[in-house]
Amino acid sequence: MAGGGAVAAVGGSLAAVLSSSLEHSTAAAMAEEESLAPPREGWLSGWLPAWCPTSAVQLKEAEEKMLKCVRSPYHKQYVFISNGNKIWTLTFSQNLSQKTPLVLLHGFGGGVGLWALNYEDLCENRTVYAFDFLGFGRSSRPQFETDAELAENQFVESIEEWRQKIGFDRMILLGHNLGGFLAAAYSLKYPSRVKHLILVEPWGFPERPSSAEQERPIPVWIKALGAVLSPFNPLAGLRIAGPFGLSLVQRIRPDFKRKYSSMFEDDTVTEYIYHCNVQSPSGETAFKNMTVPYGWAKRPMLQRIAYMHQDIPITVIYGARSCIDGNSGTTIQSLRPNSYVKTVVILGAGHYVYADQPEDFNQKIKEICNSVD
């Protein structure tokens, strides 16, 4: 459908609202984790913390529940980068240094826990890394630049600093939703570090059509609601809902429970999504500043992807049942005629391909990885 950029952003936002180890287990470590979130500012600061039943410790516990069914051994750690920031990281290491590592970048409002259905298969014969973006999940939540280009660059530089600290040279880089956009932005700036770019239902690629309103009339009530909510972050409503927020997620997105039903019978997944997204907004604010009305990217990736190094192979993955416009893969191919670009459609999957059809998704990703080395 026309409007893939808008749908990807809005769909991603709603989906997020509504992925043997070392762990911080002492009270002192818990206190340190709670200090990661910057204090809420403004007139909300007096009552919002008490109104929202969440904390860094509750997010930690929700993530642990998400990962308890993952049988492969893994290591958890904070990776320290500049300005006192920390990137929360999971490492599934098979001690296969000759294999290019796979790095997983989550989408808007997500986190490392949402890849729970994928880790075991993907780490069978290579090291897999997953981390919470700066400003999301359990990573630090700094203040981002208000300019879209500068905010994007903060994300990109945090990825590069993380790579340097981990210590590998090149990677297979996979991003979903916002993660796809940032994976492409990183590959543009640091092409020598990417052996293969995998874009899964990426947000932010098409331009906003100049005739978008004429092609798909937007109801007046949606325009009015958009005008009212425009000063707020995408997930502000979830925080304002306070103690009713969790039930709101469960009611609006019951499909998440079904997606992970092979692992959990209770509300583990919605609890994790809730606690990921009611912390102090940071990456969420950056995302808002990177968009224009109705969820389109201010700096669409299709305007720039022709400048990506031609030796970087790109695979674009869509779900056959997704509402996202899958034409970006074809457009990328036309913009990079001398480069490898392939579009893969996974039957029976929606926007959350990796959770809708995890076996098919995992198999396709392993095939791509095996084609690298």
Side-chain angles (χ1 to χ4, degrees):
M1 62 189 287
V7 174
V10 176
S13 301
L14 291 175
V17 168
L18 302 164
S19 112
S20 70
S21 62
L22 296 178
E23 182 59 296
H24 298 290
S25 58
T26 65
M30 289 183 175
E32 178 187 357
E33 289 181 7
E34 289 199 294
S35 71
L36 282 174
R40 294 180 172 95
E41 298 179 354
W43 61 273
L44 289 175
S45 61
W47 61 272
L48 190 53
W51 177 246
C52 266
T54 191
S55 67
V57 172
Q58 286 171 288
L59 173 55
K60 169 182 176 289
E61 293 171 349
E63 181 194 275
E64 288 175 344
K65 288 180 65 179
M66 283 292 297
L67 298 173
K68 69 180 180 181
C69 292
V70 177
R71 291 169 295 184
S72 301
Y74 60 95
H75 172 68
K76 308 184 224 182
Q77 65 175 329
Y78 279 111
V79 175
F80 292 78
I81 60 173
S82 61
N83 299 316
N85 291 318
K86 306 174 185 178
I87 302 294
W88 180 243
T89 304
L90 303 188
T91 304
F92 293 78
S93 179
Q94 301 301 325
N95 295 317
L96 297 170
S97 58
Q98 74 277 16
K99 292 279 192 176
T100 304
L102 171 65
V103 177
L104 307 177
L105 305 182
H106 63 77
F108 176 79
V112 296
L114 292 183
W115 302 106
L117 292 165
N118 315 110
Y119 289 128
E120 288 185 28
D121 280 350
L122 297 183
C123 75
E124 280 182 351
N125 65 351
R126 73 182 60 243
T127 296
V128 174
Y129 297 98
F131 63 84
D132 289 340
F133 276 126
L134 192 66
F136 288 99
R138 294 177 63 188
S139 290
S140 298
R141 293 175 176 251
Q143 183 173 346
F144 280 80
E145 298 286 348
T146 57
D147 176 80
E149 183 175 1
L150 295 177
E152 177 187 312
N153 193 58
Q154 280 181 265
F155 280 120
V156 169
E157 289 304 313
S158 70
I159 297 171
E160 174 58 8
E161 288 186 47
W162 172 87
R163 182 203 64 79
Q164 292 177 13
K165 288 297 182 72
I166 292 293
F168 57 79
D169 290 328
R170 304 183 72 187
M171 61 185 141
I172 301 166
L173 189 57
L174 182 156
H176 172 255
N177 186 267
L178 173 62
F181 178 87
L182 295 176
Y186 177 88
S187 300
L188 275 165
K189 189 166 185 178
Y190 296 102
S192 65
R193 301 305 180 186
V194 180
K195 275 196 174 181
H196 198 115
L197 176 61
I198 305 174
L199 305 172
V200 183
E201 292 270 326
W203 167 83
F205 275 63
E207 298 180 51
R208 180 185 181 186
S210 58
S211 58
E213 294 191 8
Q214 286 74 21
E215 291 179 3
R216 301 181 67 243
I218 299 173
V220 173
W221 70 270
I222 291 182
K223 292 182 180 180
L225 185 62
V228 170
L229 296 178
S230 61
F232 298 95
N233 284 313
L235 301 176
L238 190 61
R239 285 182 288 274
I240 292 172
F244 307 104
L246 179 56
S247 61
L248 181 65
V249 176
Q250 293 166 347
R251 179 167 299 188
I252 295 178
R253 293 308 305 260
D255 57 309
F256 268 101
K257 185 174 181 178
R258 293 194 297 270
K259 293 178 196 297
Y260 292 84
S261 60
S262 63
M263 300 186 93
F264 313 107
E265 296 180 354
D266 57 10
D267 295 316
T268 293
V269 182
T270 49
E271 289 174 3
Y272 175 67
I273 292 170
Y274 172 77
H275 288 295
C276 272
N277 289 294
V278 292
Q279 310 295 319
S280 297
S282 171
E284 175 190 344
T285 304
F287 175 79
K288 175 182 179 294
N289 292 332
M290 291 163 62
T291 65
V292 293
Y294 311 115
W296 299 88
K298 283 184 180 178
R299 306 181 68 244
M301 192 54 63
L302 289 181
Q303 292 181 347
R304 302 178 266 159
I305 202 155
Y307 302 108
M308 187 177 293
H309 198 288
Q310 66 177 9
D311 290 343
I312 297 179
I314 299 178
T315 300
V316 188
I317 298 179
Y318 288 99
R321 295 174 52 245
S322 175
C323 59
I324 304 304
D325 181 1
N327 292 325
S328 288
T330 303
T331 306
I332 294 171
Q333 176 71 77
S334 68
L335 293 170
R336 306 181 79 232
N338 299 317
S339 302
Y340 177 93
V341 179
K342 183 177 182 179
T343 299
V344 175
V345 177
I346 295 186
L347 299 178
H351 181 58
Y352 288 82
V353 188
Y354 57 87
D356 289 329
Q357 296 293 335
E359 292 184 4
D360 290 347
F361 175 82
N362 294 343
Q363 182 59 37
K364 178 53 61 178
I365 299 305
K366 288 195 292 185
E367 288 174 6
I368 296 169
C369 291
N370 290 336
S371 73
V372 174
D373 54 27

